Amino acid sequence: MEAIILQILNGLDKGSAYALIALGLTLIFGTLGVVNFAHGALFMIGAFCAVTLGRLLTLSRTVVDDTQTDFLGNPLQVEIPYVYDIFGESVGAAIIDWNVPLAILFAIPVMIAIGVIMERGLIKHFYKRPHADQILVTFGLAIVLQEIIKYYYGANPIPTPAPAAFVGSFDFGAMLGFDPNTIIYPYWRIIYFAFAAVIIGAVFAFLQFTTFGMVVRAGMADRETVQLLGINIDRRFTLMFGIAAAVAGLAGVMYTPINSPNYHMGMDFLVLSFVVVVVGGMGSLPGAVAAGFLLGILESFASMREVLAVLPGLNQIIIYLVAIIILLTRPRGLMGRKGVMEE
């Protein structure tokens, strides 16, 4: 039972990342009909927003500290971050420590701007082109963005720690009545799952309960009719592209303490997340979220030592096996609209 609970927690953790990226992919496909293979790059850029903010917060000046000396007795030169001068040492240290949560505020406008520029500058020219053309151009864009990040930040992963308050693990076993230290899970992974749930809930609430969201949903169902009503649906869809980019970026920001940012992390998640979208149903937001968590849990259970002892390597292919089965039996996906991917 302890192992089962732990694998469910691991699955929810992986599924949170899959679901957030797949949610953005589905928003773009559902509104614009574009298969965006650059979406994983947006996840990567979000992670590097946290890296960039961390570097900005640690910009410092060099001073000579007479109270400290080296082995020769010379005063040491120390680096004093500028945030210490602005906010004081204690507050400045806290700001640096909370770099990752603060990066959310930094990443939102950056990611929306990148999404809008991407849509207006490139994607809009491929609305009426075949999906193969869309895949090629967005995949090429992803490679370009990946190489830009590699050029400026290097090829090695950049550790970006969580705030000190969330370092360590939570004893789930004790809370559920098991022996202490039987089910231990990192605090930040729990926070990531909670954060994903909040973002997913906010996106669904925005689409369901706001006038803007209702118009977008109407445009997804019948774009021409909405345009005949005098509504500039293209402008709203452009903003939805920016929102989808922000969702992917925020997923990347909060994932940095779990997986140190590197230039290829977007590609690592893109293929898996696209499989999640296909399994859930192209254009189905609930399907993308449900499939993300479902496949995350399946992958987690397939990674158990007992399973790998019987079927080595199953954890590497389980998601693709499920996708094959779903597409053979239900081509439109678990919650896809009838007729989508069934021609």
Side-chain angles (χ1 to χ4, degrees):
M1 181 59 69
E2 294 90 338
I4 291 174
I5 294 174
L6 187 59
Q7 294 308 319
I8 291 174
L9 291 173
N10 284 330
L12 292 176
D13 167 35
K14 294 179 180 178
S16 297
Y18 295 158
L20 284 176
I21 302 175
L23 181 63
L25 274 168
T26 305
L27 277 173
I28 292 172
F29 182 81
T31 54
L32 303 174
V34 174
V35 181
N36 181 24
F37 259 59
H39 204 70
L42 297 174
F43 175 80
M44 172 197 64
I45 292 173
F48 278 92
C49 282
V51 173
T52 301
L53 182 62
R55 291 185 175 183
L56 291 174
L57 292 176
T58 53
L59 288 175
S60 59
R61 57 186 177 86
T62 304
V63 299
V64 176
D65 187 354
D66 293 327
T67 63
Q68 302 183 58
T69 59
D70 59 19
F71 68 98
L72 295 175
N74 300 316
L76 284 178
Q77 291 185 338
V78 296
E79 300 293 329
I80 305 295
Y82 289 112
V83 291
Y84 285 14
D85 297 329
I86 299 172
F87 299 103
E89 184 174 349
S90 59
V91 176
I95 291 174
I96 293 174
D97 182 42
W98 284 74
N99 161 54
V100 172
L102 291 175
I104 292 173
L105 303 177
F106 176 68
I108 289 175
V110 171
M111 295 308 303
I112 290 177
I114 290 174
V116 170
I117 292 170
M118 184 186 298
E119 193 274 338
R120 288 290 85 190
L122 180 65
I123 302 297
K124 74 173 184 179
H125 301 293
F126 289 84
Y127 288 160
K128 300 184 184 300
R129 301 280 287 273
H131 288 323
D133 291 355
Q134 297 170 0
I135 291 172
L136 286 173
V137 72
T138 54
F139 187 75
L141 177 61
I143 294 175
V144 170
L145 293 173
Q146 177 177 286
E147 291 303 313
I148 291 174
I149 292 294
K150 181 180 178 181
Y151 177 80
Y152 284 102
Y153 292 91
N156 296 322
I158 303 174
T160 308
F166 300 110
V167 173
S169 300
F170 178 71
D171 193 341
F172 258 101
M175 185 183 73
L176 298 176
F178 295 97
D179 294 333
N181 300 320
T182 55
I183 306 175
I184 302 293
Y185 208 70
Y187 283 118
W188 190 257
R189 291 179 180 266
I190 299 171
I191 290 172
Y192 189 81
F193 169 69
F195 174 80
V198 169
I199 294 297
I200 292 169
V203 170
F204 277 95
F206 175 73
L207 291 173
Q208 189 71 30
F209 301 115
T210 66
T211 302
F212 186 99
M214 292 177 186
V215 172
V216 167
R217 286 190 290 116
M220 292 169 68
D222 193 339
R223 181 174 185 151
E224 289 76 14
T225 300
V226 173
Q227 288 177 322
L228 289 173
L229 294 174
I231 297 173
N232 189 342
I233 194 65
D234 290 336
R235 183 178 301 171
R236 293 174 186 257
F237 281 176
T238 297
L239 184 55
M240 285 307 300
F241 197 104
I243 292 174
V247 170
L250 293 181
V253 167
M254 294 295 283
Y255 205 73
T256 52
I258 298 174
N259 184 16
S260 297
N262 57 77
Y263 73 96
H264 57 77
M265 67 186 302
M267 290 295 186
D268 294 342
F269 273 91
L270 173 65
V271 176
L272 290 173
S273 298
F274 199 82
V275 172
V276 168
V277 171
V278 173
V279 170
M282 296 292 285
S284 172
L285 297 178
V289 174
F293 286 112
L294 173 63
L295 294 180
I297 291 174
L298 287 177
E299 185 181 12
S300 179
F301 276 101
S303 301
M304 295 177 67
R305 284 179 306 210
E306 295 83 356
V307 175
L308 293 177
V310 179
L311 297 170
L314 180 64
N315 59 320
Q316 302 294 323
I317 63 172
I318 183 65
I319 288 181
Y320 305 104
L321 287 176
V322 173
I324 291 170
I325 295 170
I326 293 295
L327 290 176
L328 287 174
T329 57
R330 189 179 175 86
R332 66 175 180 263
L334 294 175
M335 299 184 184
R337 297 190 303 271
K338 187 175 182 179
V340 177
M341 306 297 288
E342 291 184 320
E343 293 83 356

